[in-house]
Amino acid sequence: MGNSALKAHLETAQKTGVFQLTGKGLTEFPEDLQKLTSNLRTIDLSNNKIELLPPLIGKFSFLKSLVLNNNKLTVLPEELCKLKKLETLHLNGNHLRQLPSAFGQLSALKTLNLSGNQLRTVPTQLSGLRHLDVVDLSKNQIQNVPDTVGELQAIELNLNQNQISQISVQISHCPRLKVLRLEENCLELSMLPQSILSDSQISLLAVEGNLFEIKKLRELEGYDKYMERFTATKKKFA
């Protein structure tokens, strides 16, 4: 892409606060964006070939939304964690194996999408994020859900299409978790904590495509309590 085209995009972004350049074969984060660190609220560089996010990403202190779906990112810089106003982070379809250690400092984060990466566990850093609403970790390589999940503040957690065979009972202690998606994993019925049914806030549990028949779920203790929450929620949205 020529310099003149980039310049035009930068001029528009300066006025609108939105820089969007998708599907242009970019191999690196455009350094010229540095000129707009105080202007930009949204950056969308999806469907490119970006391998590295430079440390200068930490300078965009007013950024609310960062979208980098379908790139070639293998790692995220610690500087990303300086974005105190960031509310939405979309990183679907990259090659991420882990999150920066200071990720829990993204204190305004509400929506996190990490579908289609190479995560092997639910990152412990997520437990520190107080405003998190939706977390999508589907299509990763997660095998177990650790105890730290109990501190997760999210309302919806999507773990579909992983390799999960074990879930910590702590998941039923998530204070705001209403929607738990576990479709197409490797769960035996005996490995599903019954407290999810009997003693949690969860009102939508999606477990199709595991190693048990769905009708067996209805035989578990606590299923009636779960159905009460499920029905009450349905009525609310009807």
Side-chain angles (χ1 to χ4, degrees), residues 8 64 77 222:
K64 283 193 161 185

Side-chain angles (χ1 to χ4, degrees), residues 90-103:
H90 287 291
L91 293 160
N92 297 1
N94 281 282
H95 308 294
L96 299 167
R97 291 172 182 268
Q98 57 192 41
L99 298 180
S101 56
F103 198 83

Side-chain angles (χ1 to χ4, degrees), residues 155-158 176-181 202-205:
I155 296 168
E156 176 168 346
L157 176 59
N158 186 342
R176 299 167 69 217
L177 190 62
K178 297 272 192 286
V179 178
L180 177 59
R181 301 186 188 279
I202 295 164
S203 57
L204 178 63
L205 176 65

Side-chain angles (χ1 to χ4, degrees), residues 76-214:
L76 299 170
E78 289 288 340
E79 287 79 3
L80 175 72
C81 309
K82 292 178 181 171
L83 302 178
K84 299 290 183 234
K85 290 196 157 63
L86 194 68
E87 294 179 5
T88 306
L89 180 57
H90 287 291
L91 293 160
N92 297 1
N94 281 282
H95 308 294
L96 299 167
R97 291 172 182 268
Q98 57 192 41
L99 298 180
S101 56
F103 198 83
Q105 291 173 17
L106 289 171
S107 49
L109 201 62
K110 291 180 181 173
T111 302
L112 175 62
N113 202 326
L114 286 162
S115 179
N117 279 280
Q118 294 170 18
L119 300 172
R120 292 183 175 271
T121 186
V122 176
T124 55
Q125 297 94 315
L126 302 186
S127 298
L129 297 167
R130 296 282 158 234
H131 298 285
L132 210 50
D133 290 335
V134 178
V135 182
D136 187 349
L137 300 174
S138 61
K139 299 180 185 173
N140 277 278
Q141 296 162 16
I142 298 169
Q143 294 175 7
N144 64 357
V145 180
D147 287 349
T148 46
V149 76
E151 292 163 45
L152 191 69
Q153 297 289 323
I155 296 168
E156 176 168 346
L157 176 59
N158 186 342
L159 292 165
N160 289 348
Q161 291 178 292
N162 277 284
Q163 299 155 20
I164 297 168
S165 59
Q166 283 188 308
I167 301 178
S168 166
V169 67
Q170 296 297 326
I171 199 159
S172 46
H173 296 165
C174 292
R176 299 167 69 217
L177 190 62
K178 297 272 192 286
V179 178
L180 177 59
R181 301 186 188 279
L182 287 162
E183 295 180 52
E184 294 180 46
N185 277 285
C186 308
L187 282 168
E188 300 274 1
L189 191 59
S190 58
M191 286 295 165
L192 191 71
Q194 293 198 11
S195 54
I196 290 177
L197 299 172
S198 61
D199 193 25
S200 79
Q201 301 289 319
I202 295 164
S203 57
L204 178 63
L205 176 65
V207 287
E208 285 80 3
N210 279 282
L211 306 179
F212 58 87
E213 292 178 56
I214 286 298

